Amino acid sequence: MQAESLGFIFLNAAIINNFVLALFLGICPFLGVSGKLKTATSMGIATALVMFISSLCAYAINLILLHFDLEFLRLIAYIAVIASAVQLVEMSMKKFSPTLFRALGIFLPLITTNCAILGLALFQTFRDYDFLQSVAYSTGAGAGFLLAIVLMAGLREKLELSDVPSISRGAAMSLMLAGILSLSFMGFAGLGGH
Amino acid sequence: MNAKTPDKSITADTFLRGLWRENPVFVMLLGMCPVLAVTNSVANALAMGLATTFVLLCSSTLVSLLRRHIPKEVRIASYIVIIASFVTVVDYIIQAVSLEIYNALGAFIQLIVVNCIILGRAESYASRHRVSKTLVNSLGMGAGFTIALLCLGSVRELLGAGTLLGQPVFGAAFEPWVIMLLPPGGFFVLGAWLLLFAWIKERQDRRQREAANLEARAHAG
Amino acid sequence: MNESVIQPEVRATPSHRLIGTLGLIALLSGLLVVSVFEFTRPYIEKNHRVALERAVFEVIPGAVARREFVLTERGVEPAAPGIAGIVFHAGYDAAGGLRGVAAVAAGRGYADVIRVLYGYDPDCACIVGMKVLESKETPGLGDKIITDARFRANFERLDARLNAAGDGLANAIVTVRQGNRHEAWEIDGISGATISSVAIGRMLNAGAHDLLPRLRPHLDAIRNVE
């Protein structure tokens, strides 16, 4: 289908239908780990990495399940495979790149129950993406998540110093900020429409 | 939660704490993804709330039943498999009941699996309490979650479309605030609810503090 | 979760018990899922069939029966799993006469991909119906492609004649600015939903261009089913 070129899929996942700001996936880390710019960046990179790996796994699993007509096991298989894939990444990272592990390691277990990961696997299945399209979709989604969480952390760091009413400190303020970010991302809709 | 010393009796609090004091959405800020994503109408919010409650009830009951037989090392894996099976069940039931609801909720039915409320209940409550108590507590949590979804859904549908459960509420002159149905509206409405609750809590705290001060002064005098 | 921190004197459970427990739970879950799947399957299939039927009858006025075909390199074949090609539905009236064919077209809209089902009547060589199957267009603006009666009126008789050579449409279907419709193959757009309405025109043109020229030689084959 010409409407679904690789570039468009990437842009669509990263900006137009940003996983966090438009599809509401991965809200927990987005609100929870966006207090500091540095941690937020690490979290974003780790999530993007896991997204890419689990998207590949999900693609392979789906092929196997379709071959044996076992679609009804899809959800269970996805969640089990994603959890073990993350574990594997964590272990191999620990062995081969301890520096990287120190920077990203603590985030990896948290990411397993992040709905953005499972959401990505499910969406790419629903949309019947082939291998390359899945790769474009998962890199786009990862880039979009990184962008959103970094923007959010930047905003929150600035707000640390400002004087806001005591009741709006914390979650309420973060949600309002997210709303404004989401509003500005709506401006990207229609991108590639012409 | 003082799970270290599980007391045996079921009190009203077992049920009620999920509704207010430990409301999963407004207090614990768990399971935000579906809360924001499917609350653009009351009907969707209700369907999502009921589906989540069903999964929560079934999975925590089963976990509670099996709690003495699951070794510690594999408990998270077991819980996830149990939860995923019940979510698959709900997914098929909703498809069989109504395709319209199924299409409206989309992938968010299957994403109930990663709703932290459910795994959280299994880990911190069901694995330590007996079945009847777990059932009551889960029912409270499910109700609290559903009520939170309805709080968002009703405001968003009312302002965004001028309707409630599809019935027009305002006159024809009402211009819908379309933004409420769109993603930013979800963030704004949830933010506003949290502000409201924070304000109520602060007032309560202040009143308590003043009462305590008064008492202290009375004693001193 | 890091158990070794929580419980310093943890006693290792023998691994055969771990595997046994996991296997048992997986078995239980498998049984549960399979039985529910088998139980709900007839209902789900019925729901899907009814929804599809309703959509096809909506875009082919007068149709009361439906058959599904696939257009392949070899010609038209009844739809069956494993046959690749363009899937379309033929709609028949009560007397068994062909009232039209319906096919899915898709394209990029404002927010995401839009999928529509359109009905084509070979007798008037025109598109006689359009139903949006899937869209995430902005409520109140882009979704006027679904709700706007004036826009829907475009698809009562939208010219889709083939050219003399029979390898394409005589006139490309195109969306024009609101109020500027002069030709039978033009779609009167919606101001305020420009991208969405233009997208509809573009996907109908692409879909009709792919399907109709190749379908024409086989029209008799689907006309004379029973």
Short mmCIF file of all heavy atoms in Angstrom, two decimals, chain A residues 1-5 8 12 16-17 23 71-73 76 109 127 186-194, chain C residues 1 29-30 33-34 37-38 106-113 115 136 138 194-195 198-199 202-203 206:
data_model
loop_
_atom_site.label_atom_id
_atom_site.label_comp_id
_atom_site.label_asym_id
_atom_site.label_seq_id
_atom_site.Cartn_x
_atom_site.Cartn_y
_atom_site.Cartn_z
N MET A 1 0.84 -1.19 0.00
CA MET A 1 0.00 0.00 0.00
C MET A 1 0.88 1.25 0.00
O MET A 1 1.71 1.42 0.87
CB MET A 1 -0.87 -0.02 1.24
CG MET A 1 -2.15 0.76 1.09
SD MET A 1 -3.01 0.84 2.65
CE MET A 1 -2.84 -0.83 3.26
N GLN A 2 0.70 2.11 -0.97
CA GLN A 2 1.58 3.26 -1.09
C GLN A 2 1.44 4.22 0.09
O GLN A 2 2.34 4.98 0.40
CB GLN A 2 1.31 4.00 -2.41
CG GLN A 2 -0.15 4.32 -2.69
CD GLN A 2 -0.49 5.76 -2.49
OE1 GLN A 2 0.35 6.61 -2.67
NE2 GLN A 2 -1.72 6.05 -2.10
N ALA A 3 0.28 4.18 0.76
CA ALA A 3 0.07 5.11 1.86
C ALA A 3 1.02 4.83 3.02
O ALA A 3 1.24 5.68 3.87
CB ALA A 3 -1.37 5.02 2.34
N GLU A 4 1.59 3.63 3.06
CA GLU A 4 2.36 3.24 4.23
C GLU A 4 3.84 3.10 3.89
O GLU A 4 4.43 2.05 4.09
CB GLU A 4 1.84 1.90 4.77
CG GLU A 4 0.41 1.98 5.23
CD GLU A 4 0.29 2.16 6.70
OE1 GLU A 4 0.70 3.23 7.19
OE2 GLU A 4 -0.16 1.24 7.38
N SER A 5 4.43 4.15 3.35
CA SER A 5 5.86 4.09 3.07
C SER A 5 6.63 4.04 4.39
O SER A 5 6.12 4.44 5.43
CB SER A 5 6.28 5.30 2.26
OG SER A 5 6.19 6.44 3.07
N PHE A 8 6.97 7.31 6.22
CA PHE A 8 5.73 7.77 6.85
C PHE A 8 5.46 7.00 8.13
O PHE A 8 5.04 7.58 9.13
CB PHE A 8 4.56 7.63 5.89
CG PHE A 8 3.24 7.97 6.53
CD1 PHE A 8 2.96 9.27 6.91
CD2 PHE A 8 2.30 6.98 6.78
CE1 PHE A 8 1.77 9.58 7.52
CE2 PHE A 8 1.11 7.29 7.40
CZ PHE A 8 0.84 8.59 7.76
N ASN A 12 5.01 8.79 11.55
CA ASN A 12 3.72 8.59 12.18
C ASN A 12 3.89 8.12 13.62
O ASN A 12 3.29 8.66 14.54
CB ASN A 12 2.93 7.55 11.37
CG ASN A 12 1.51 7.41 11.86
OD1 ASN A 12 0.99 8.30 12.51
ND2 ASN A 12 0.89 6.28 11.56
N ILE A 16 3.44 12.11 14.71
CA ILE A 16 2.01 12.36 14.50
C ILE A 16 1.19 11.61 15.54
O ILE A 16 0.33 12.17 16.21
CB ILE A 16 1.59 11.95 13.09
CG1 ILE A 16 2.47 12.64 12.06
CG2 ILE A 16 0.14 12.31 12.85
CD1 ILE A 16 2.25 12.16 10.65
N ASN A 17 1.42 10.31 15.64
CA ASN A 17 0.74 9.54 16.68
C ASN A 17 1.76 9.13 17.72
O ASN A 17 2.00 7.96 17.94
CB ASN A 17 0.05 8.31 16.08
CG ASN A 17 -1.24 8.68 15.42
OD1 ASN A 17 -2.08 9.36 16.00
ND2 ASN A 17 -1.41 8.25 14.18
N LEU A 23 -1.21 8.45 21.97
CA LEU A 23 -1.81 7.13 22.19
C LEU A 23 -1.81 6.74 23.67
O LEU A 23 -2.33 5.70 24.03
CB LEU A 23 -1.05 6.06 21.40
CG LEU A 23 -1.00 6.27 19.90
CD1 LEU A 23 -0.23 5.15 19.23
CD2 LEU A 23 -2.40 6.32 19.33
N GLU A 71 -3.44 -18.13 17.13
CA GLU A 71 -3.55 -16.71 17.44
C GLU A 71 -4.03 -16.44 18.85
O GLU A 71 -3.71 -15.42 19.44
CB GLU A 71 -4.52 -16.00 16.48
CG GLU A 71 -4.03 -15.88 15.08
CD GLU A 71 -4.55 -17.02 14.25
OE1 GLU A 71 -4.87 -18.07 14.84
OE2 GLU A 71 -4.64 -16.87 13.02
N PHE A 72 -4.82 -17.37 19.40
CA PHE A 72 -5.39 -17.08 20.72
C PHE A 72 -4.33 -17.11 21.83
O PHE A 72 -4.58 -16.68 22.93
CB PHE A 72 -6.54 -18.04 21.06
CG PHE A 72 -6.21 -19.48 20.89
CD1 PHE A 72 -5.61 -20.17 21.91
CD2 PHE A 72 -6.49 -20.14 19.70
CE1 PHE A 72 -5.28 -21.50 21.76
CE2 PHE A 72 -6.17 -21.47 19.55
CZ PHE A 72 -5.56 -22.15 20.58
N LEU A 73 -3.14 -17.59 21.51
CA LEU A 73 -2.07 -17.57 22.52
C LEU A 73 -1.19 -16.33 22.37
O LEU A 73 -0.22 -16.18 23.09
CB LEU A 73 -1.19 -18.82 22.39
CG LEU A 73 -1.81 -20.11 22.88
CD1 LEU A 73 -0.83 -21.24 22.74
CD2 LEU A 73 -2.22 -19.96 24.34
N ILE A 76 -0.39 -14.06 25.55
CA ILE A 76 0.44 -14.74 26.54
C ILE A 76 1.87 -14.90 26.01
O ILE A 76 2.84 -14.64 26.72
CB ILE A 76 -0.16 -16.13 26.87
CG1 ILE A 76 -1.59 -15.93 27.38
CG2 ILE A 76 0.67 -16.84 27.90
CD1 ILE A 76 -2.31 -17.21 27.69
N PRO A 109 14.35 -3.63 34.06
CA PRO A 109 13.23 -4.40 34.60
C PRO A 109 11.94 -3.58 34.65
O PRO A 109 10.86 -4.11 34.43
CB PRO A 109 13.69 -4.75 36.02
CG PRO A 109 15.13 -4.52 36.04
CD PRO A 109 15.43 -3.49 35.02
N ARG A 127 -1.73 -4.02 12.45
CA ARG A 127 -1.57 -3.30 11.19
C ARG A 127 -0.95 -4.15 10.11
O ARG A 127 -0.66 -3.65 9.02
CB ARG A 127 -0.71 -2.06 11.42
CG ARG A 127 -1.43 -1.01 12.23
CD ARG A 127 -0.46 0.03 12.74
NE ARG A 127 -1.19 1.10 13.40
CZ ARG A 127 -1.14 2.35 13.01
NH1 ARG A 127 -0.41 2.70 11.99
NH2 ARG A 127 -1.82 3.27 13.65
N MET A 186 -0.21 17.97 18.48
CA MET A 186 -1.32 17.84 17.54
C MET A 186 -1.07 18.65 16.29
O MET A 186 -1.65 18.38 15.24
CB MET A 186 -2.62 18.29 18.19
CG MET A 186 -3.29 17.23 19.00
SD MET A 186 -4.80 17.87 19.67
CE MET A 186 -5.65 18.28 18.15
N GLY A 187 -0.23 19.67 16.43
CA GLY A 187 0.10 20.48 15.27
C GLY A 187 0.78 19.68 14.17
O GLY A 187 0.77 20.09 13.02
N PHE A 188 1.36 18.55 14.55
CA PHE A 188 2.06 17.74 13.54
C PHE A 188 1.10 16.88 12.74
O PHE A 188 1.48 16.33 11.72
CB PHE A 188 3.09 16.83 14.21
CG PHE A 188 4.26 17.57 14.78
CD1 PHE A 188 4.50 17.59 16.13
CD2 PHE A 188 5.11 18.25 13.93
CE1 PHE A 188 5.57 18.27 16.65
CE2 PHE A 188 6.19 18.93 14.45
CZ PHE A 188 6.42 18.94 15.81
N ALA A 189 -0.13 16.71 13.24
CA ALA A 189 -1.08 15.87 12.51
C ALA A 189 -1.28 16.47 11.12
O ALA A 189 -1.21 17.68 10.91
CB ALA A 189 -2.40 15.82 13.26
N GLY A 190 -1.50 15.61 10.15
CA GLY A 190 -1.65 16.11 8.80
C GLY A 190 -0.33 16.17 8.09
O GLY A 190 -0.27 16.36 6.88
N LEU A 191 0.77 15.99 8.85
CA LEU A 191 2.08 15.94 8.25
C LEU A 191 2.11 14.78 7.25
O LEU A 191 1.77 13.66 7.59
CB LEU A 191 3.10 15.67 9.35
CG LEU A 191 4.53 16.12 9.11
CD1 LEU A 191 4.59 17.63 9.08
CD2 LEU A 191 5.42 15.60 10.22
N GLY A 192 2.51 15.05 6.04
CA GLY A 192 2.54 13.97 5.05
C GLY A 192 1.18 13.71 4.46
O GLY A 192 1.00 12.77 3.70
N GLY A 193 0.17 14.52 4.82
CA GLY A 193 -1.16 14.34 4.25
C GLY A 193 -1.21 14.78 2.80
O GLY A 193 -2.06 14.35 2.04
N HIS A 194 -0.29 15.67 2.43
CA HIS A 194 -0.32 16.16 1.05
C HIS A 194 0.88 15.67 0.25
O HIS A 194 1.94 15.56 0.82
CB HIS A 194 -0.34 17.69 1.03
CG HIS A 194 -1.74 18.21 1.03
ND1 HIS A 194 -2.57 18.06 -0.04
CD2 HIS A 194 -2.45 18.81 1.99
CE1 HIS A 194 -3.74 18.58 0.25
NE2 HIS A 194 -3.71 19.04 1.49
N MET C 1 12.14 -7.03 40.73
CA MET C 1 12.10 -7.41 42.13
C MET C 1 13.39 -8.14 42.50
O MET C 1 13.83 -9.04 41.80
CB MET C 1 10.94 -8.37 42.40
CG MET C 1 9.58 -7.82 42.05
SD MET C 1 9.01 -6.56 43.15
CE MET C 1 8.26 -5.47 41.96
N SER C 29 -3.84 -22.27 32.20
CA SER C 29 -4.18 -21.10 31.40
C SER C 29 -4.54 -21.52 29.99
O SER C 29 -5.51 -21.04 29.41
CB SER C 29 -2.99 -20.15 31.32
OG SER C 29 -2.48 -19.93 32.57
N GLY C 30 -3.75 -22.47 29.45
CA GLY C 30 -4.02 -22.94 28.10
C GLY C 30 -5.41 -23.52 27.99
O GLY C 30 -6.18 -23.18 27.09
N VAL C 33 -8.02 -20.67 28.16
CA VAL C 33 -8.08 -19.84 26.96
C VAL C 33 -8.70 -20.61 25.81
O VAL C 33 -9.57 -20.12 25.09
CB VAL C 33 -6.67 -19.33 26.59
CG1 VAL C 33 -6.68 -18.70 25.23
CG2 VAL C 33 -6.18 -18.35 27.63
N VAL C 34 -8.27 -21.87 25.65
CA VAL C 34 -8.78 -22.65 24.52
C VAL C 34 -10.28 -22.87 24.65
O VAL C 34 -11.04 -22.73 23.69
CB VAL C 34 -8.03 -23.99 24.41
CG1 VAL C 34 -8.73 -24.90 23.42
CG2 VAL C 34 -6.61 -23.76 23.98
N PHE C 37 -12.07 -19.71 23.87
CA PHE C 37 -11.93 -19.43 22.45
C PHE C 37 -12.90 -20.27 21.63
O PHE C 37 -13.63 -19.76 20.77
CB PHE C 37 -10.48 -19.72 22.03
CG PHE C 37 -10.22 -19.59 20.56
CD1 PHE C 37 -10.27 -18.36 19.95
CD2 PHE C 37 -9.93 -20.71 19.80
CE1 PHE C 37 -10.03 -18.24 18.59
CE2 PHE C 37 -9.68 -20.60 18.46
CZ PHE C 37 -9.73 -19.36 17.84
N GLU C 38 -12.96 -21.56 21.95
CA GLU C 38 -13.86 -22.44 21.21
C GLU C 38 -15.32 -22.06 21.45
O GLU C 38 -16.15 -22.10 20.55
CB GLU C 38 -13.65 -23.91 21.64
CG GLU C 38 -12.35 -24.50 21.14
CD GLU C 38 -12.27 -24.52 19.62
OE1 GLU C 38 -13.33 -24.62 18.97
OE2 GLU C 38 -11.15 -24.43 19.09
N ALA C 106 -7.85 2.33 1.01
CA ALA C 106 -7.24 2.91 2.20
C ALA C 106 -6.22 3.95 1.79
O ALA C 106 -5.66 3.91 0.70
CB ALA C 106 -6.56 1.82 3.04
N GLY C 107 -6.01 4.90 2.65
CA GLY C 107 -5.02 5.94 2.36
C GLY C 107 -4.75 6.74 3.61
O GLY C 107 -5.43 6.60 4.63
N ARG C 108 -3.74 7.57 3.53
CA ARG C 108 -3.30 8.36 4.66
C ARG C 108 -4.24 9.55 4.84
O ARG C 108 -4.47 10.32 3.91
CB ARG C 108 -1.90 8.85 4.35
CG ARG C 108 -1.17 9.44 5.50
CD ARG C 108 0.10 10.08 5.01
NE ARG C 108 0.91 9.13 4.22
CZ ARG C 108 1.88 9.52 3.41
NH1 ARG C 108 2.14 10.80 3.25
NH2 ARG C 108 2.59 8.65 2.75
N GLY C 109 -4.79 9.70 6.02
CA GLY C 109 -5.66 10.83 6.29
C GLY C 109 -4.92 11.87 7.11
O GLY C 109 -3.71 12.00 7.01
N TYR C 110 -5.66 12.59 7.94
CA TYR C 110 -5.06 13.65 8.74
C TYR C 110 -4.32 13.06 9.94
O TYR C 110 -3.17 13.36 10.18
CB TYR C 110 -6.17 14.59 9.20
CG TYR C 110 -5.70 15.79 9.98
CD1 TYR C 110 -5.00 16.80 9.35
CD2 TYR C 110 -5.99 15.90 11.33
CE1 TYR C 110 -4.58 17.90 10.07
CE2 TYR C 110 -5.58 17.00 12.04
CZ TYR C 110 -4.88 17.99 11.41
OH TYR C 110 -4.46 19.08 12.12
N ALA C 111 -5.01 12.17 10.67
CA ALA C 111 -4.40 11.64 11.89
C ALA C 111 -3.71 10.31 11.65
O ALA C 111 -2.64 10.06 12.17
CB ALA C 111 -5.46 11.47 12.97
N ASP C 112 -4.33 9.47 10.86
CA ASP C 112 -3.75 8.15 10.62
C ASP C 112 -4.38 7.63 9.34
O ASP C 112 -5.09 8.35 8.65
CB ASP C 112 -4.03 7.22 11.81
CG ASP C 112 -2.97 6.12 11.91
OD1 ASP C 112 -2.31 5.85 10.90
OD2 ASP C 112 -2.84 5.54 12.98
N VAL C 113 -4.13 6.35 9.07
CA VAL C 113 -4.69 5.77 7.85
C VAL C 113 -6.21 5.67 7.96
O VAL C 113 -6.75 5.33 9.01
CB VAL C 113 -4.07 4.38 7.62
CG1 VAL C 113 -4.74 3.66 6.49
CG2 VAL C 113 -2.59 4.52 7.36
N ARG C 115 -9.60 3.86 6.31
CA ARG C 115 -10.03 2.77 5.45
C ARG C 115 -11.50 2.95 5.15
O ARG C 115 -12.29 3.22 6.06
CB ARG C 115 -9.79 1.41 6.12
CG ARG C 115 -8.31 1.02 6.15
CD ARG C 115 -8.08 -0.24 6.94
NE ARG C 115 -8.66 -1.39 6.26
CZ ARG C 115 -9.56 -2.21 6.82
NH1 ARG C 115 -9.98 -1.98 8.02
NH2 ARG C 115 -10.02 -3.23 6.16
N LYS C 136 -9.30 7.79 12.48
CA LYS C 136 -9.02 8.45 13.75
C LYS C 136 -9.08 9.95 13.54
O LYS C 136 -8.43 10.71 14.25
CB LYS C 136 -7.64 8.05 14.28
CG LYS C 136 -7.53 6.60 14.67
CD LYS C 136 -6.40 6.41 15.67
CE LYS C 136 -6.12 4.95 15.93
NZ LYS C 136 -5.32 4.34 14.84
N THR C 138 -10.09 13.88 13.47
CA THR C 138 -10.51 14.75 14.56
C THR C 138 -12.03 14.80 14.69
O THR C 138 -12.70 15.12 13.71
CB THR C 138 -10.00 16.17 14.31
OG1 THR C 138 -8.70 16.09 13.76
CG2 THR C 138 -9.99 16.96 15.58
N THR C 194 -10.15 19.64 4.95
CA THR C 194 -9.58 19.53 3.61
C THR C 194 -8.79 18.25 3.44
O THR C 194 -9.01 17.50 2.48
CB THR C 194 -8.64 20.73 3.35
OG1 THR C 194 -9.28 21.90 3.82
CG2 THR C 194 -8.33 20.86 1.89
N ILE C 195 -7.87 17.99 4.38
CA ILE C 195 -6.97 16.85 4.19
C ILE C 195 -7.75 15.55 4.20
O ILE C 195 -7.54 14.67 3.38
CB ILE C 195 -5.87 16.87 5.28
CG1 ILE C 195 -4.99 18.10 5.07
CG2 ILE C 195 -5.05 15.60 5.24
CD1 ILE C 195 -3.87 18.22 6.06
N VAL C 198 -9.83 15.28 0.91
CA VAL C 198 -8.94 15.03 -0.23
C VAL C 198 -8.42 13.60 -0.18
O VAL C 198 -8.31 12.92 -1.20
CB VAL C 198 -7.76 16.04 -0.21
CG1 VAL C 198 -6.66 15.59 -1.16
CG2 VAL C 198 -8.26 17.42 -0.62
N ALA C 199 -8.15 13.12 1.05
CA ALA C 199 -7.65 11.75 1.20
C ALA C 199 -8.67 10.75 0.68
O ALA C 199 -8.31 9.77 0.03
CB ALA C 199 -7.32 11.46 2.66
N ARG C 202 -8.50 10.67 -3.01
CA ARG C 202 -7.29 10.04 -3.51
C ARG C 202 -7.35 8.52 -3.36
O ARG C 202 -6.96 7.77 -4.26
CB ARG C 202 -6.08 10.60 -2.76
CG ARG C 202 -4.81 10.43 -3.58
CD ARG C 202 -3.57 10.91 -2.88
NE ARG C 202 -3.58 12.31 -2.52
CZ ARG C 202 -3.32 12.73 -1.27
NH1 ARG C 202 -3.08 11.87 -0.31
NH2 ARG C 202 -3.31 14.01 -1.01
N MET C 203 -7.89 8.05 -2.22
CA MET C 203 -7.90 6.59 -2.04
C MET C 203 -8.95 5.94 -2.92
O MET C 203 -8.74 4.83 -3.42
CB MET C 203 -8.10 6.22 -0.56
CG MET C 203 -9.44 6.51 0.03
SD MET C 203 -9.48 6.15 1.79
CE MET C 203 -8.66 7.57 2.48
N ALA C 206 -7.32 5.70 -6.37
CA ALA C 206 -6.31 4.65 -6.45
C ALA C 206 -6.97 3.27 -6.41
O ALA C 206 -6.61 2.37 -7.19
CB ALA C 206 -5.32 4.80 -5.28
#
